[in-house]
Amino acid sequence: MKLDKFVLAQNMAFLISIPPESNLAKLLAFCLTTKAGKNTPGTKILEMTYDLIENPSKLPYWT
């Protein structure tokens, strides 16, 4: 259990250290706004991602 907490702490520290104006922060914000929930199957998320890569005009202007 301690290892899980350590890994979680490392990942949280990484996310916290990302500057809000960076491209990575913008990508993370975009991923959060898609609102893919725990009931969204991985194949659906992959399909959504592939569609956005193929049709980038569907992306919001701020991305």
Side-chain angles (χ1 to χ4, degrees):
M1 187 66 156
K2 288 184 180 183
L3 180 61
D4 292 338
K5 287 181 181 180
F6 178 72
V7 172
L8 177 61
Q10 280 184 317
N11 288 309
M12 289 176 67
F14 169 73
L15 292 171
I16 291 169
S17 69
I18 298 170
E21 65 281 350
S22 70
N23 287 337
L24 181 55
K26 292 175 187 176
L27 177 62
L28 292 171
F30 169 74
C31 291
L32 291 172
T33 60
T34 61
K35 298 185 182 185
K38 66 179 179 180
N39 295 328
T40 307
T43 54
K44 178 65 178 167
I45 294 171
L46 184 58
E47 180 183 313
M48 289 168 46
T49 305
Y50 186 75
D51 185 44
L52 288 173
I53 290 170
E54 289 296 312
N55 302 303
S57 61
K58 292 182 179 181
L59 291 169
Y61 74 93
W62 53 267
T63 59

